[in-house]
Amino acid sequence: MVSMELETIKFKPNPQGIKQILGSSEMLNACGNAADKICNRANSMATDVHGQGDPYKSARDINQKGFAHGAVYTNSLYGVRDNAKNNTLLKAMGGGA
């Protein structure tokens, strides 16, 4: 039997590099695309829309600290009620029952 020793690897992150990656246009697109997918799933799961339009909207932005963010939010009172009753946004992200 061959014995293998584990080597210790040291990793020192570069804070400026991480900030540059998290604030890049590629990261903004990735966050926005993920938010759009969740939003589309939530809108398709919503029931009894009755001509109210899409109850959920998505947004992408770079915050004040320079990091990319994607968000999905309710767009109407119907969206608020639907999400409160059915946990639609949680289910659209793959959580919940």
Side-chain angles (χ1 to χ4, degrees):
M1 181 170 192
V2 177
S3 174
M4 300 176 81
E5 293 184 32
L6 298 177
E7 294 185 32
T8 302
I9 298 174
K10 292 186 179 186
F11 173 74
K12 184 177 179 184
N14 178 349
Q16 292 301 324
I18 292 172
K19 186 172 183 176
Q20 184 177 5
I21 289 170
L22 294 178
S24 68
S25 61
E26 291 87 357
M27 186 62 71
L28 180 62
N29 286 335
C31 290
N33 291 340
D36 290 342
K37 286 180 184 177
I38 293 168
C39 181
N40 291 336
R41 263 186 259 140
N43 282 326
S44 70
M45 293 167 67
T47 57
D48 299 327
V49 176
H50 300 299
Q52 299 291 323
D54 289 338
Y56 301 100
K57 293 281 185 183
S58 64
R60 57 186 82 192
D61 193 11
I62 302 236
N63 73 358
Q64 294 173 350
K65 293 183 179 181
F67 301 131
H69 285 263
V72 179
Y73 58 94
T74 57
N75 188 39
S76 64
L77 182 59
Y78 170 73
V80 172
R81 283 189 296 216
D82 179 64
N83 190 52
K85 182 178 179 181
N86 302 312
N87 281 325
T88 307
L89 290 175
L90 179 65
K91 291 176 182 175
M93 290 189 305

